[in-house]
Amino acid sequence: MPESTAAKREQLKPPVSNVGIIGWLRTNLFSTWYNSLLTIAMLGILAWLVPPLFRWVFIDSLWNSSAEACRDIDGACWSVIPNNIRFIILGFFPEGQEWRPILAMILLLSLVIYSKERSRWKKSLAWLWLINLIIMGTLMYGGVLGMPVVETSQWSGLPLTFLLSFFGMIVAYPLGILLALGRRSEMPAIKTLCVVYIEMIRGVPLISLLFMSSIMFPLFLPEGVSIDKVLRALIAIILFTAAYIAEVVRGGLQAMPRGQYEAADSLGLPYKHTMRLVILPQALKIVIPPSVGVLLSVFKDTSLVVIIALYDVLKTTMVTLSNPKWAGYSSESYIFLALLYFVFCYAMSSYSRKLEKELHTGH
Amino acid sequence: MNDSQKSVSPEDSAKPIIEIREMHKWYGDFHVLSNINLQVQAQEKIVICGPSGSGKSTLIRCINRLEEHQRGHIIVNGTELCNDIKNIEKVRAEVGMVFQHFNLFPHLTIIENLTLGPIWVRKTPKKEAEEAAMMYLEKVQIAEQAKKFPGQLSGGQQQRVAIARSLCMNPQVMLFDEPTSALDPEMIKEVLDVMIGLAEEGMTMLVVTHEMGFAKSVADRVMFMDDGEIVEQNSPDVFFDNPQHERTKLFLSQIL
C-alpha cells in the first residue's frame, strides 16, 4: 500500500501556472496588479530607449574611418579609438619603444593571473614577483641592453595607471594589516601612533595628499635632492590606501571570537604565529568584501593624479580629445575608457567572490 | 625531567605539579578569587564544582594565564607565572586546555588543528607531527575525519578533536573548562568516555564540570567553590555522602 501511494505522489506534477516560462512570468513580472503595471511601464521605456541607442552604437556608427568621414554620420564615431589607441594606452612613451611597456604590462597581467590559484601561494611566488618587478622596471626605464633610458616623466597611459594601482594595492595591503594590528596593540606608544596616523590620513582627501606629495614635500628636501614624481604619487596612494585597509582589517580582527585567541594562546603559540596562522587567515577572509571595495576605489582613484600633471590613461584620453580633429567624440572615448576600467574592476570583484567561496569551510 | 629545575618542596616525590599559594584575583574592584591555596600532585584528578559565578573557570584559566592573578603565586611544573611572556608560553605548552565551546580553528582541517602546536611550538617535523596526530585521533576514535573541517563535525566529535589537539602537545596537566556543557545530551557520554580513558592512563587533570557521575567515578578529590573561595575539598565518597559545609550541602541538594 505505502509503495503505491509513493508512486502515485511522484506522478503528481505541480500546476502549470507555477512552472516553466509562464510560471516564471507570473511570479516575477505579474504577481500583483502594481507589478504588472510596472512591468508594462518598463517595457514601454525600454522600447523607447533601446532602438535609438542600438542604432547609434551599431548601425549609424563608424568603426575605423578618418575623422572627416565621421562628420557626416549621426551614429557613434568609434574611429576615435583605433586612430588614437597608441597615445591613449601608452601616452608619451617614445616612438619605436612601444614593445617595452606592452611587454611589461603583459608580464604583469600574466603574473596576476598566475597568482590567482591559492595552491601557488608559496615563498617561490614572492621571488617570482620580485624577479618580474626588476624585469618590468628595467623594461620601462631601460638604460641596459641597448634600450634607451625613458625617464619616469614619460611614463604615461595604461602602464602608469597599472603602476600606481597594482603596486599601490600590493604595498598598501600588508601595511594596512600592520597598522590594524598596531591599533589593537597593548603597547600604548604603538597604539597611539597608529591611531593618529590612521585618523589623520582618513581626515584628508586623496587630492590634498597628492598635492602635498608633489608640491609641499620637495620644499622640505635639502637642495639637490629630489625624489621621483611618480614615486611620490605612488607613496601618497599607498599611505592613503593603507589607512583605509587598516580600518577594514581591524573590523575583521574584532569579529574574531575570543576563544580563537585563547585556544592559540593555550597551545603556547607566540603572538606572531597566533596572528599569522590562526587569527589573520580568518579575519582577512571575513573582510574580503570590504577590502575589495577599498581596492576598487584605489584603482579608480589613481586617475586623480591628473591634478599633479601625471598622464594616466584618463588624462591621455582627455589629451586626445583636445585635438581639434577628434574634439567632438568625448562620449565614444569615455565609454571606451569606462569599459576598460570596468573589465579590471569586474575581474577583481569576481575573483574575490571565487576566493570567498573557496575559503568557506563552515557548514 | 624536573630534577634540573628549582624544587619547590623538599621531598621530590611529593613535589606538586601545580602549586597555588595565597592567590587573589580581581576584576576591577570585584574580588573574583580570594586566598586560593591548591596543590596538585602528578596523576591527580581533581573535579571542581560550584554555582555559576563562583570563580571555578577563572581559577583554572589562571593556571595557564588566560587570566592574570594580582597577588600570590602560581607555580606550574617548576615555573612560576609572572609577566615574562617566555615563561607564560613555556607553561602553556605544558598545560593542555579544553574549552566549553571547543574553540577549534575553523579554517584548518582536523589534522592541521592537531599539528599546529607541535609544528610551531615544539618544532616537530611535519611528518612526525602528523603521525602523532593520527595516533591521538585513533585514540579519540575519530581518525576517519582527519581531512574534514571542524564545521563538518558534530559537537561531540569537535570536543574529542579539541582533547586530541591538547594531547598532541604532550602536556603534563590537562585543564577542562566545562567540556560537556555545550553538548547535546547524547554526545556527552562520548566525550566523558575519552576523559575517563585519559584518567586511567594517569593524566593529571583538573576538571570544571557539573557531571557529578564523572566526579564520583574518576576524581581523587572534589573541590567545591563558592564566592571565589575554595569552601571544601575532599575525596568523592566523603564529599558526596558527608559534606562538611552548609554551602556544600545546599549546593549538592540542588543538583543531585
Side-chain angles (χ1 to χ4, degrees):
Chain A
M1 259 321 264
E3 275 171 41
S4 71
T5 41
K8 221 182 250 168
R9 208 164 56 214
E10 272 169 35
Q11 297 281 316
L12 271 177
K13 292 258 164 61
V16 174
S17 59
N18 287 339
V19 290
I21 298 168
I22 297 170
W24 186 88
L25 285 175
R26 264 179 89 114
T27 47
N28 292 299
L29 299 178
F30 299 100
S31 56
T32 58
W33 65 266
Y34 50 86
N35 269 348
S36 311
L37 213 63
L38 273 176
T39 304
I40 292 164
M42 281 310 293
L43 282 175
I45 292 173
L46 286 178
W48 178 57
L49 276 182
V50 170
L53 189 68
F54 187 82
R55 206 174 317 123
W56 183 77
V57 172
F58 294 105
I59 298 174
D60 295 342
S61 59
L62 283 176
W63 290 80
N64 199 356
S65 66
S66 64
E68 289 70 36
C70 277
R71 301 274 174 239
D72 308 326
I73 57 163
D74 293 331
C77 176
W78 298 113
S79 317
V80 61
I81 309 300
N83 275 291
N84 297 290
I85 192 74
R86 155 72 177 75
F87 187 78
I88 291 176
I89 299 295
L90 298 178
F92 298 109
F93 212 85
E95 296 286 333
Q97 301 294 323
E98 286 87 354
W99 63 275
R100 285 162 50 184
I102 289 172
L103 189 58
M105 285 194 289
I106 291 172
L107 265 181
L108 179 66
L109 291 179
S110 356
L111 205 53
V112 168
I113 291 166
Y114 181 81
S115 310
K116 278 173 71 173
E117 294 302 322
R118 278 196 312 134
S119 57
R120 293 176 182 149
W121 294 1
K122 291 175 191 146
K123 228 179 211 157
S124 52
L125 187 66
W127 286 107
L128 193 67
W129 269 91
L130 196 70
I131 293 164
N132 273 281
L133 269 184
I134 296 169
I135 297 174
M136 286 185 276
T138 316
L139 276 171
M140 290 296 288
Y141 192 77
V144 288
L145 300 170
M147 294 186 289
V149 171
V150 179
E151 294 293 340
T152 54
S153 56
Q154 287 174 289
W155 296 9
S156 37
L158 201 56
L160 183 68
T161 298
F162 279 177
L163 174 76
L164 293 174
S165 52
F166 278 90
F167 296 106
M169 294 178 211
I170 291 169
V171 182
Y173 207 86
L175 190 63
I177 293 173
L178 289 180
L179 281 167
L181 292 176
R183 188 166 185 169
R184 283 172 61 86
S185 162
E186 279 164 17
M187 286 175 268
I190 291 181
K191 186 180 172 141
T192 316
L193 213 68
C194 291
V195 172
V196 169
Y197 174 85
I198 291 169
E199 295 309 333
M200 257 175 56
I201 296 277
R202 293 205 311 162
V204 175
L206 179 57
I207 293 196
S208 47
L209 268 186
L210 287 170
F211 264 131
M212 279 193 246
S213 78
S214 87
I215 297 163
M216 263 173 63
F217 182 66
L219 299 178
F220 298 117
L221 289 177
E223 212 153 322
V225 178
S226 72
I227 296 178
D228 188 85
K229 197 171 170 186
V230 174
L231 187 62
R232 275 184 275 142
L234 182 58
I235 289 172
I237 289 171
I238 289 170
L239 295 181
F240 183 80
T241 312
Y244 282 85
I245 292 290
E247 286 299 275
V248 166
V249 172
R250 189 168 68 98
L253 290 174
Q254 272 169 349
M256 293 300 298
R258 226 178 103 190
Q260 291 292 308
Y261 291 93
E262 288 179 351
D265 281 349
S266 60
L267 287 175
L269 277 178
Y271 175 81
K272 60 173 183 198
H273 292 329
T274 301
M275 284 302 157
R276 192 170 65 85
L277 301 166
V278 177
I279 304 300
L280 283 177
Q282 298 182 63
L284 294 183
K285 184 179 86 182
I286 300 175
V287 297
I288 287 176
S291 302
V292 171
V294 171
L295 296 180
L296 286 178
S297 14
V298 183
F299 183 72
K300 292 175 290 182
D301 286 351
T302 53
S303 55
L304 289 173
V305 296
V306 293
I307 60 141
I308 55 168
L310 288 178
Y311 285 73
D312 81 319
V313 73
L314 173 66
K315 184 66 179 173
T316 53
T317 310
M318 287 159 75
V319 170
T320 306
L321 291 172
S322 67
N323 174 353
K325 208 168 129 192
W326 297 104
Y329 306 113
S330 50
S331 309
E332 292 86 342
S333 312
Y334 288 136
I335 287 173
F336 169 74
L337 203 58
L339 281 176
L340 195 66
Y341 272 104
F342 176 78
V343 166
F344 289 107
C345 290
Y346 185 74
M348 266 197 269
S349 70
S350 55
Y351 174 60
S352 83
R353 258 175 289 141
K354 176 180 159 245
L355 203 58
E356 255 181 281
K357 216 179 274 171
E358 274 180 20
L359 292 173
H360 179 78
T361 56
H363 283 262
Chain B
M1 89 173 260
N2 293 332
D3 292 4
S4 59
Q5 286 163 356
K6 202 180 113 196
S7 69
V8 180
S9 117
E11 315 95 305
D12 244 23
S13 57
K15 195 172 74 177
I17 199 157
I18 297 173
E19 185 176 21
I20 302 178
R21 286 201 311 258
E22 291 163 19
M23 190 265 276
H24 294 257
K25 170 165 181 62
W26 287 265
Y27 283 129
D29 283 339
F30 179 57
H31 204 167
V32 215
L33 292 175
S34 156
N35 197 26
I36 303 291
N37 286 285
L38 174 67
Q39 293 204 343
V40 183
Q41 304 296 331
Q43 308 212 341
E44 220 181 344
K45 293 112 190 79
I46 299 179
V47 166
I48 305 171
C49 59
S52 69
S54 58
K56 49 198 191 316
S57 286
T58 312
L59 171 61
I60 66 164
R61 287 161 61 86
C62 280
I63 293 171
N64 69 351
R65 194 67 166 202
L66 289 180
E67 304 284 350
E68 198 177 325
H69 60 285
Q70 279 87 28
R71 252 176 67 186
H73 304 274
I74 301 178
I75 298 150
V76 181
N77 209 16
T79 311
E80 173 154 11
L81 283 169
C82 57
N83 279 324
D84 181 1
I85 186 72
K86 285 284 155 232
N87 244 347
I88 296 171
E89 279 164 10
K90 191 168 144 197
V91 167
R92 283 173 176 167
E94 298 303 330
V95 177
M97 177 100 182
V98 176
F99 299 88
Q100 181 178 0
H101 295 286
F102 335 133
N103 295 351
L104 295 177
F105 306 128
H107 62 302
L108 300 176
T109 59
I110 300 306
I111 188 96
E112 287 167 340
N113 264 277
L114 264 68
T115 55
L116 191 75
I119 289 174
W120 294 96
V121 178
R122 297 264 191 246
K123 315 286 180 210
T124 315
K126 189 170 179 222
K127 200 162 156 39
E128 214 173 290
E130 276 174 356
E131 280 164 12
M134 283 313 292
M135 189 193 84
Y136 283 114
L137 283 179
E138 301 272 2
K139 196 159 153 178
V140 299
Q141 302 185 353
I142 211 160
E144 69 282 1
Q145 316 277 16
K147 294 275 183 274
K148 287 194 182 166
F149 286 99
Q152 294 165 289
L153 269 53
S154 74
Q157 291 174 321
Q158 290 196 44
Q159 193 60 298
R160 285 187 279 151
V161 171
I163 294 172
R165 177 174 68 179
S166 293
L167 291 176
C168 281
M169 293 291 289
N170 284 320
Q172 304 283 312
V173 187
M174 286 283 282
L175 309 175
F176 294 83
D177 188 1
E178 306 201 20
T180 55
S181 303
L183 295 176
D184 290 340
E186 75 270 21
M187 293 169 181
I188 291 177
K189 189 175 175 296
E190 62 187 56
V191 171
L192 288 181
D193 285 346
V194 168
M195 289 168 65
I196 292 167
L198 265 185
E200 281 164 359
E201 285 169 27
M203 175 62 76
T204 315
M205 293 161 73
L206 269 86
V207 186
V208 172
T209 185
H210 299 294
E211 295 294 328
M212 289 304 131
F214 175 82
K216 277 177 191 163
S217 62
V218 175
D220 297 315
R221 227 194 306 168
V222 182
M223 255 169 59
F224 173 67
M225 286 185 72
D226 195 12
D227 273 339
E229 290 171 324
I230 299 176
V231 176
E232 176 167 355
Q233 45 180 320
N234 234 321
S235 65
D237 336 337
V238 183
F239 182 88
F240 288 107
D241 299 337
N242 192 12
Q244 305 295 305
H245 209 284
E246 279 310 313
R247 282 194 274 177
T248 320
K249 285 178 193 162
L250 180 67
F251 176 73
L252 289 176
S253 74
Q254 280 163 346
I255 59 160
L256 290 178

